[in-house]
Amino acid sequence: MDSDYISGEELGDKLLQSVREMTLGIAIREYANGAVSLEKSAAIAGLDRVDFLAALAAEQVEVFTVDMDSLKRELEHG
């Protein structure tokens, strides 16, 4: 058997994995740009929220942004 041969099933698996990776990348980009919510991004990626949060962490995408001026005002005024 030729070592360069790939079965139809292997090809399908590789294509499916590539589509999943691209879809996750798009979901992460859209979330990071503020175009869609966390929940919507997770759904786009085909993940639950916890797994999508883990994917964001793996890509070092900030999930919680803090406006330092607002935080300072809140801390000063209790």
Side-chain angles (χ1 to χ4, degrees), residues 62 64-72:
E62 288 190 32
F64 305 105
T65 56
V66 177
D67 175 14
M68 294 308 286
D69 292 331
S70 295
L71 178 60
K72 184 178 176 183

Side-chain angles (χ1 to χ4, degrees), residues 2 4-7 9 13 17 20 29 32 34-35 39 41 43 48 55 58-60 66-68 70 73 75 78:
D2 186 358
D4 292 334
Y5 174 79
I6 184 168
S7 72
E9 184 176 346
D13 290 345
Q17 183 62 31
R20 287 181 181 144
R29 183 190 69 217
E39 292 79 10
S41 297
D48 62 29
E59 294 297 322
Q60 299 179 346
V66 177
D67 175 14
M68 294 308 286
S70 295
R73 283 191 303 273
L75 291 173

Side-chain angles (χ1 to χ4, degrees), residues 11-62:
L11 180 60
D13 290 345
K14 288 179 183 288
L15 287 172
L16 184 57
Q17 183 62 31
S18 293
V19 169
R20 287 181 181 144
E21 290 171 4
M22 288 188 305
T23 303
L24 176 59
I26 291 167
I28 289 172
R29 183 190 69 217
E30 294 301 301
Y31 175 77
N33 290 337
V36 292
S37 69
L38 178 74
E39 292 79 10
K40 181 69 174 173
S41 297
I44 291 168
L47 300 173
D48 62 29
R49 286 181 45 208
V50 172
D51 288 340
F52 188 69
L53 283 169
L56 290 173
E59 294 297 322
Q60 299 179 346
V61 174
E62 288 190 32

